[in-house]
Amino acid sequence: MTFDAAVVGTGPNGLAAGVTLARAGLRVALFEAADTIGGGLRTTSLFDSDVRHDVCAAVHPMAAASAFFRRFDLPARGVRLLQPDIPYAHPLPGGRAAAAWRSLSRTAAHLGPDGRRWMQLLGPLADRSPAVVDLLLSDQRSVPGDLLAPLLLGARVPSLATRLTPFGLLRTEPARALLTGVAAHAVGRLPSVTSAAVALLLAHTAHSTGWPLPEGGSARIADALAADITAHGGVFHTGQRIRDLAELGDVPLVLLDVGPKEFLAMAGPRLPERYRRSLRRYRYGPGAAKADFLTDGPIPWTNPLVGRAGTVHLGGTRADIVRRETATAAGRPVEDPFVLVVDPAVTDPTREAGGRRPVWAYAHVPHGDPRDPVDLIRRRIEEYAPGFGDTIVASRGLSARQYEEYNPNYVGGDIGAGALTLRQSLARPVARWNPYETPLPGVYLCSAATPPGPSVHGMCGHHAALAALRRHHGLRTPPALAPYP
């Protein structure tokens, strides 16, 4: 069978590209090096056959918010996006904790003196959430559909982006720490323009579309995307790593869900030297080190409020987070890194079996850090949940260095597929008007190394597929993505 298009890599962006191309009527073949599809959307049993762990991503704000997933409509396909009442919480020394509820007004009441300022900062963004999300997840080359969105963001980013006015609207430590924990999702030096944009994007969605967990695990999202591709004639080839573009034969359209390093290895001397130099200059950011725990009970947080949150940020005060993240970005290891923790059974009780449950945790570490993160992360959790170690039945760690072995896109453990600097947000991976198109005819990049960057939103793959369809098939109207009645 001949194909109209090939997609290499089946992470969320590769799958989104496959859906878009197949919905446009193209015959699509998708190639995956691993034995299972999904990339960052894999869920598997690690220690107990009845308990499933999310290998990479666990919580999915952008799967509820992005334009691609809004149109694809996961709930209509049987994927239940479960919403915690408290999307994220931030414990502080001395047993205190700050929390963000889905309800903006309840969050404001919780934050006391900073409540009104929290509402002023995030309320207008939440009111226009689709426009704000669409702007930040755009190809960054298009005119915004809602011109108020860039004005709202432009009025807020400066106060979050500099050391002179650090989160200037917020004056109490709980509120500042709560927002800084969200900014740390940018995984880099703090504060910065990009961390400010990330903070505003994620913090406001907590009060609009939420920070959901898919019932049963992240693989449910990948399965829904794959089912749609198959229903429209797409074919998957797993366990088949493409090391050279020549292996794809004469397929006229190729979309690559790979980063610059992998693309250079696949394309080699076919690329013009100037473009190769630009790809070699692409910068990767700090790494993530992952620990998976099987426990025989919930995490015993000192403050019970923390135990109700879908995501927990462990970083201490705002100053502590800035110090740790800035040192990590500079390549200096710290013994008390910023850690994200998810106990999925808090939001999705089906994840617990026989009293045992998965616990998911990431630590931000320097690029390529070889340290096993299990004890590092366990100690950080026990600072705010004494006795956590006693609940652990089994554990597994993946260092930043090992993460690249798991997924070549995660160079040095950089799960964002490239540093989120201002320059690399605007010119990702190189400075081109069409950032998805490469110098090779019919070959496009669609990974998180293209705009708008990391997270499970599918927009890199969707934008790349639309660009390819316009250029090679004259398709100006995006294909319908909603499930058929």
Side-chain angles (χ1 to χ4, degrees):
M1 181 179 181
T2 59
F3 294 95
D4 302 311
V7 177
V8 178
T10 62
N13 286 306
L15 292 172
V19 166
T20 306
L21 296 172
R23 283 300 192 104
L26 274 63
R27 293 165 296 178
V28 184
L30 295 94
F31 296 86
E32 171 56 53
D35 293 332
T36 57
I37 66 164
L41 291 174
R42 294 193 180 107
T43 306
T44 190
S45 298
L46 295 176
F47 315 108
D48 183 315
S49 60
D50 294 325
V51 179
R52 291 170 61 78
H53 297 253
D54 291 315
V55 179
C56 291
V59 181
H60 298 282
M62 295 302 102
S66 82
F68 173 80
F69 279 114
R70 294 200 308 265
R71 294 173 61 202
F72 188 74
D73 197 350
L74 286 167
R77 300 170 185 274
V79 181
R80 295 185 63 201
L81 298 177
L82 305 178
Q83 298 280 5
D85 287 338
I86 299 176
Y88 60 96
H90 192 112
L92 290 161
R96 297 178 300 156
W101 273 264
R102 285 290 306 283
S103 165
L104 184 61
S105 59
R106 188 171 184 184
T107 305
H110 166 73
L111 293 176
D114 263 332
R116 180 177 57 83
R117 288 182 281 271
W118 188 271
M119 293 188 71
Q120 290 173 339
L121 178 68
L122 299 176
L125 300 179
D127 289 342
R128 306 186 78 87
S129 187
V132 172
V133 171
D134 289 352
L135 173 64
L136 291 174
L137 298 187
S138 72
D139 61 5
Q140 297 165 6
R141 306 296 193 274
S142 305
V143 177
D146 183 338
L147 294 180
L148 185 57
L151 294 176
L152 290 172
L153 288 167
R156 286 161 173 76
V157 165
S159 68
L160 279 67
T162 69
R163 291 180 182 272
L164 296 177
T165 56
F167 303 152
L169 291 174
L170 303 173
R171 298 170 187 171
T172 63
E173 186 53 50
R176 287 189 172 196
L178 189 65
L179 191 60
T180 312
V182 185
H185 281 248
V187 195
R189 178 182 58 83
L190 291 177
S192 68
V193 171
T194 50
S195 70
V198 167
L200 292 171
L201 173 63
L202 291 176
H204 98 266
T205 55
H207 305 302
S208 57
T209 46
W211 287 22
L213 283 76
E215 185 178 47
S218 296
R220 298 291 176 87
I221 297 176
D223 292 344
L225 293 165
D228 192 79
I229 292 170
T230 303
H232 290 85
V235 176
F236 286 86
H237 301 274
T238 56
Q240 187 171 343
R241 182 171 181 177
I242 303 299
R243 298 183 182 276
D244 192 308
L245 291 177
E247 297 173 37
L248 298 172
D250 57 358
V251 63
L253 197 59
V254 175
L255 274 74
L256 302 173
D257 186 6
V258 305
K261 182 178 179 180
E262 191 78 352
F263 182 40
L264 281 166
M266 294 168 64
R270 297 180 186 87
L271 293 170
E273 179 56 31
R274 182 177 179 181
Y275 187 80
R276 280 189 304 200
R277 285 199 304 269
S278 295
L279 289 180
R280 292 191 193 104
R281 287 196 294 267
Y282 187 74
R283 290 178 52 201
Y284 291 92
K290 173 81 182 304
D292 292 291
F293 300 98
L294 178 68
T295 69
D296 59 11
I299 300 173
W301 299 108
T302 298
N303 191 315
L305 184 67
V306 180
R308 298 167 56 189
T311 300
V312 179
H313 298 145
L314 304 182
T317 66
R318 177 193 175 278
D320 289 336
I321 302 169
V322 169
R323 172 181 59 80
R324 292 173 179 131
E325 290 294 275
T326 300
T328 297
R332 300 192 300 272
V334 298
E335 291 302 314
D336 53 354
F338 182 84
V339 170
L340 296 90
V341 182
V342 178
D343 182 350
V346 169
T347 306
D348 179 7
T350 69
R351 300 292 293 276
E352 182 176 10
R356 294 186 170 186
R357 56 209 282 156
V359 170
W360 173 108
Y362 270 125
H364 291 174
V365 296
H367 183 90
D369 193 317
R371 292 177 295 173
D372 185 314
V374 169
D375 284 342
L376 197 68
I377 289 174
R378 176 190 54 78
R379 290 196 300 269
R380 290 292 281 147
I381 295 175
E382 287 194 318
E383 289 181 39
Y384 303 96
F388 169 68
D390 297 332
T391 71
I392 298 173
V393 176
S395 61
R396 182 196 74 157
L398 280 177
S399 68
R401 185 174 295 176
Q402 289 171 317
Y403 241 129
E404 182 175 355
E405 298 171 9
Y406 163 75
N407 187 332
N409 281 0
Y410 300 161
V411 177
D414 178 2
I415 59 175
L420 278 180
T421 63
L422 180 59
R423 181 185 181 281
Q424 285 197 172
S425 295
L426 299 174
R428 190 175 181 91
V430 301
R432 291 172 69 90
W433 177 251
N434 184 340
Y436 312 101
E437 192 173 30
T438 76
L440 302 181
V443 177
Y444 290 75
L445 292 175
C446 69
S447 71
T450 62
S455 192
V456 178
H457 43 60
M459 294 304 297
C460 305
H462 186 53
H463 287 315
L466 292 178
L469 289 168
R470 285 192 298 269
R471 177 68 179 269
H472 298 273
H473 293 272
L475 185 67
R476 299 292 174 182
T477 303
L481 300 179
Y484 295 134

